[in-house]
Amino acid sequence: MLPRGRPRALGAAALLLLLLLIGFFLFGGDLEYERPRGAAALDGDPPADRGGHNLSDCVPPRPLPPKCELLHVAIVCAGHNSSRDLNTLVKSVLFYRKNPLHFHLVTDAVARNILEMLFHTWMVPAVGVSFYDLEELKPQVSWIPNKHYSGLYGLMKLVLPGALPPDLARVIVLDTDVTFASDIAELWALFAHFSGVILLRLDRLRQAGWGQMWKLTATRELLTLPATSLADQDIFNAVIKEHPGLVQPLPCVWNVQLSDHTLAERCYSEASDLKVIHWNSPKKLRVKNKHVEYFRNLYLTFLEYDGNLLRRELFACPSPPPPGTEQLQRALAQLDEEDACFEFRQQQLTVHRVHISFLPHEPLPPRPHDITLVAQLSMDRLQMLEALCRHWPGPMSLALYLTDAEAQQFLRFVEASAVLSARQDVAYHVVYREGPLYPVNELRNVALAQALTPYVFLSDIDFLPAYSLYDYLRASIEQLKLNSERKVALVVPAFETLHYRFSFPSSKAELLALLDSGSLYTFRYHEWPRGHAPTDYARWREAQTPYRVQWAADYEPYVVVPRDCPRYDPRFVGFGWNKVAHIVELDAQEYELLVLPEAFTIHLPHAPSLDISRFRSSPAYRDCLQALKDEFHQDLSRHYGAAALKYLTALQQPPGPA
């Protein structure tokens, strides 16, 4: 029983207040449903059983809306975790949908930054997105005491009618923790079966003075209620108690709730066609329910589903293509599938979905001359992360090339690691895998674009920097009086060990001792000395102050540069010349190369990647790399003119490593 004076919570899932709402307000069988006196029945409403639960199996399905009708969906989303949940929700909606969609997303700055990039790179046909600033809406609900775990965001649906465009007449409002198991158009079709003054239309809701209505009701309720415990649901229920004609029943299959005390089994045990699963418990997938494995597997289907497969055309519904699509399609159409380098050229044109800030990221207050370590990795290099965090105490921006399923494995990997989960200044950006070749430079560009500090250390994931390098680099930038007007790249000398276990040197003196004993080598000394020879390791041994070196063919040092440095050339995919081309670009833009005398980073051994194996074994692969180098030099010549002639010598050498 509910406390006397409190409005009865609605069961069997309810349509509330002229909005079609799925979320905290739709109980789907939590408590027995009693239609309020005066509430009109839904035209063609399914019969209710004795427990008040609407059964969907007893009535013929309602016709869907016209195949090209635009369906509107509103979602409140704040923060990193909610953004991940929204990604899964959207995948479940897109999987079944046959209509154009427009998502209205009420977000904070964090979620907007994430979701703008995600939708922009997803490039799903017939999907539009609009954003609304959650911060601007907060003052309308911040005066309401609320104990619900969703905090202030759980009250935001109260203000949606005023926040959404005035010409928007109908909208489906969803929580981020629901999973669709059917076409959302079936839900939209229910709009057509309401009559009279309770049509679920935003325009009529506004005419009814909804904004004033809920505020007056909330004010009266809070005279006897210390705080809301169910967020906006408490207020919706109170309004319905005073205005019972505003509610319509919805079949419980549209809101199968999975919380510890739900009575949802009374719904899904009698209905064969479930529509929406709602994880409306703080425990989410860990909720206590004897059938939870069934529902969890449904959720995991979309959590790990390849979102690239949802870029499906709605051929019968002409709609403007996503930005950049037509240009991309023209470029793809010009490719020759008989070209020996076809997969290289196709990979260069691939637009990867990007989910920036995949995990919560709270940068520390900025420090003078601060530096972000920038790197990229795939699933087979995750084991490097803990050691890297121990060696580099400063901020990091890391791009990970993963499938949707691997992204979830990565999430569990971080959660299980005390070292990784304790670091809030490491930003992880997932670039979803697509295509046969590793897009190494695109990954670097994603990580570089998300760095927040004035300077970046451009590294690779299989290198461990000296323990003192972060502080030393910051001090060096200050001592050299570097600023944005001076183009300087600080070179961090690179070394390597062939031993999986060795004692990491704590100083330059210890490193030199290991070098002399044969435990360390200058990087790629045996395979590709040209890549780092210009660093001049003999001079570095004795150096006490930074010294300048000149660019040379195939030079590929690891450098510290300003954040606004040139981006990497994305044409270089797979293995070979990707860092070399970037150093060429730095030199073409007249960056000084200064070697730091106390800096070092050490490469650790690992199994060769698939791309380097192909490079070593396939002459055709190496020929394609040479073709990319030729094209790069042609573009360089067009851009820099005669100044680019000195780089021609780089093309006269055999193809080199990354």
Side-chain angles (χ1 to χ4, degrees):
M1 293 294 292
L2 294 173
R4 183 171 298 176
R6 293 287 302 278
R8 177 181 293 273
L10 300 178
L15 289 174
L16 303 179
L17 301 177
L18 314 186
L19 281 169
L20 187 54
L21 299 172
I22 292 183
F24 293 114
F25 339 115
L26 302 186
F27 280 75
D30 254 9
L31 300 172
E32 292 187 0
Y33 171 73
E34 296 178 4
R35 178 175 294 149
R37 185 175 302 170
L42 182 65
D43 294 348
D45 194 41
D49 66 2
R50 292 183 179 180
H53 300 279
N54 303 94
L55 304 181
S56 63
D57 295 344
C58 305
V59 294
R62 296 187 177 93
L64 295 177
K67 63 181 180 182
C68 292
E69 182 176 354
L70 179 62
L71 314 186
H72 292 271
V73 180
I75 306 171
V76 177
C77 180
H80 302 84
N81 296 336
S82 184
S83 298
R84 287 202 313 273
D85 292 340
L86 185 140
N87 182 34
T88 306
L89 161 61
V90 169
K91 285 198 285 186
S92 72
V93 172
L94 292 177
F95 183 84
Y96 294 104
R97 68 102 178 214
K98 299 180 181 64
N99 285 68
L101 298 171
H102 194 102
F103 291 97
H104 300 265
L105 305 181
V106 181
T107 63
D108 63 357
V110 169
R112 177 164 185 165
N113 191 39
I114 294 169
L115 297 174
E116 277 189 329
M117 176 70 77
L118 180 63
F119 279 99
H120 175 72
T121 55
W122 204 341
M123 300 181 75
V124 182
V127 169
V129 183
S130 298
F131 289 91
Y132 306 84
D133 189 353
L134 191 148
E135 293 299 321
E136 292 182 359
L137 303 175
K138 273 186 178 181
Q140 299 184 48
V141 295
S142 58
W143 57 276
I144 302 174
N146 179 31
K147 296 187 296 185
H148 192 267
Y149 67 86
S150 61
L152 197 62
Y153 306 117
L155 298 165
M156 284 297 162
K157 297 186 189 72
L158 292 167
V159 302
L160 281 179
L164 298 176
D167 58 346
L168 180 60
R170 296 180 289 175
V171 67
I172 296 174
V173 182
L174 302 175
D175 278 358
T176 58
D177 58 355
V178 301
T179 307
F180 269 75
S182 62
D183 189 349
I184 195 172
E186 296 179 40
L187 188 55
W188 186 267
L190 296 176
F191 276 117
H193 294 270
F194 298 110
S195 59
V197 297
I198 56 170
L199 278 171
L200 302 187
R201 295 178 54 151
L202 287 172
D203 51 358
R204 297 195 179 183
L205 179 55
R206 296 180 184 110
Q207 292 170 10
W210 165 247
Q212 187 71 7
M213 184 188 300
W214 77 259
K215 290 176 183 177
L216 290 174
T217 302
T219 301
R220 285 194 295 271
E221 286 294 308
L222 291 172
L223 293 176
T224 57
L225 189 67
T228 60
S229 58
L230 300 176
D232 48 13
Q233 179 178 305
D234 284 325
I235 297 172
F236 275 108
N237 288 339
V239 173
I240 290 167
K241 181 183 178 183
E242 296 185 8
H243 306 275
L246 294 178
V247 67
Q248 290 281 9
L250 180 70
C252 63
V253 293
W254 284 107
N255 191 43
V256 178
Q257 298 189 46
L258 297 179
S259 56
D260 288 346
H261 306 294
T262 184
L263 301 179
E265 184 179 355
R266 296 167 59 177
C267 175
Y268 62 73
S269 63
E270 300 173 4
S272 60
D273 186 22
L274 303 183
K275 306 292 187 181
V276 173
I277 312 304
H278 185 195
W279 302 89
N280 64 327
S281 164
K283 299 178 181 178
K284 302 304 179 187
L285 298 186
R286 296 186 296 274
V287 68
K288 294 179 181 179
N289 182 295
K290 64 182 179 181
H291 300 117
V292 71
E293 281 302 316
Y294 169 83
F295 296 107
R296 186 183 290 128
N297 288 338
L298 175 65
Y299 176 78
L300 293 176
T301 298
F302 296 109
L303 184 72
E304 301 185 354
Y305 188 81
D306 184 354
N308 300 323
L309 302 178
L310 296 169
R311 291 167 165 162
R312 300 188 295 237
E313 295 277 357
L314 297 183
F315 292 110
C317 301
S319 60
T325 300
E326 292 179 329
Q327 180 182 0
L328 178 62
Q329 290 174 342
R330 285 195 298 268
L332 288 169
Q334 293 174 1
L335 297 183
D336 179 6
E337 293 191 23
E338 301 302 320
D339 181 358
C341 301
F342 173 75
E343 72 173 2
F344 279 82
R345 305 193 187 285
Q346 185 183 47
Q347 186 74 61
Q348 295 165 20
L349 295 174
T350 300
V351 178
H352 294 87
R353 281 182 300 135
V354 179
H355 189 140
I356 60 174
S357 300
F358 189 74
L359 297 181
H361 173 227
E362 298 178 7
L364 297 173
R367 307 177 188 180
H369 318 297
D370 211 354
I371 306 166
T372 296
L373 187 149
V374 170
Q376 43 72 38
L377 67 151
S378 53
M379 195 70 181
D380 59 347
R381 298 289 187 267
L382 285 187
Q383 71 276 8
M384 294 295 302
L385 290 177
E386 285 194 354
L388 183 58
C389 281
R390 292 189 178 100
H391 278 251
W392 182 268
M396 288 188 272
S397 180
L398 305 176
L400 299 95
Y401 194 50
L402 306 173
T403 65
D404 290 73
E406 287 174 340
Q408 300 309 311
Q409 296 175 41
F410 162 68
L411 175 61
R412 293 191 291 269
F413 179 83
V414 173
E415 291 175 341
S417 167
V419 174
L420 300 181
S421 58
R423 289 291 296 271
Q424 296 297 306
D425 58 348
V426 179
Y428 300 101
H429 316 293
V430 173
V431 178
Y432 288 102
R433 183 184 295 273
E434 186 173 8
L437 296 169
Y438 190 74
V440 56
N441 277 358
E442 181 183 351
L443 294 171
R444 288 176 172 140
N445 285 340
V446 168
L448 180 54
Q450 299 305 316
L452 302 177
T453 55
Y455 294 89
V456 289
F457 174 33
L458 304 179
S459 185
D460 275 336
I461 197 64
D462 44 9
F463 278 82
L464 290 182
Y467 284 107
S468 60
L469 186 61
Y470 174 60
D471 291 332
Y472 174 67
L473 290 176
R474 291 173 54 230
S476 297
I477 291 172
E478 183 176 12
Q479 291 169 4
L480 292 169
K481 299 181 180 179
L482 300 186
N483 54 53
S484 58
E485 297 178 0
R486 184 181 176 189
K487 294 182 177 180
V488 174
L490 302 178
V491 175
V492 177
F495 299 83
E496 68 177 338
T497 178
L498 303 181
H499 303 289
Y500 282 90
R501 292 185 178 181
F502 86 111
S503 178
F504 198 93
S506 61
S507 65
K508 179 178 179 177
E510 289 186 15
L511 181 141
L512 292 175
L514 292 172
L515 195 65
D516 292 338
S517 69
S519 297
L520 281 181
Y521 303 92
T522 57
F523 185 53
R524 295 280 175 89
Y525 173 78
H526 299 89
E527 298 177 354
W528 187 247
R530 294 170 56 87
H532 292 264
T535 299
D536 194 349
Y537 288 96
R539 183 177 179 183
W540 183 81
R541 294 180 67 105
E542 308 298 331
Q544 300 294 319
T545 59
Y547 59 92
R548 185 171 181 177
V549 296
Q550 298 298 317
W551 175 88
D554 294 312
Y555 193 28
E556 51 174 0
Y558 292 96
V559 296
V560 175
V561 289
R563 182 180 58 186
D564 62 354
C565 69
R567 284 347 189 209
Y568 289 86
D569 192 319
R571 86 182 77 201
F572 292 101
V573 295
F575 180 82
W577 234 66
N578 43 71
K579 288 201 306 295
V580 173
H582 189 244
I583 298 300
V584 169
E585 186 71 38
L586 291 179
D587 186 70
Q589 295 194 21
E590 301 181 337
Y591 275 72
E592 298 178 61
L593 295 170
L594 289 180
V595 181
L596 296 177
E598 298 295 327
F600 62 87
T601 186
I602 300 177
H603 178 266
L604 300 186
H606 55 75
S609 66
L610 175 62
D611 284 297
I612 194 172
S613 298
R614 293 181 64 187
F615 169 84
R616 290 169 174 170
S617 63
S618 171
Y621 192 104
R622 295 193 293 273
D623 288 344
C624 290
L625 177 58
Q626 184 64 44
L628 295 181
K629 291 170 62 177
D630 292 342
E631 294 168 8
F632 171 77
H633 186 265
Q634 292 169 10
D635 290 343
L636 207 65
S637 297
R638 280 191 290 267
H639 188 73
Y640 295 103
L645 292 177
K646 74 173 187 176
Y647 306 115
L648 182 61
T649 56
L651 300 178
Q652 298 172 345
Q653 306 296 329

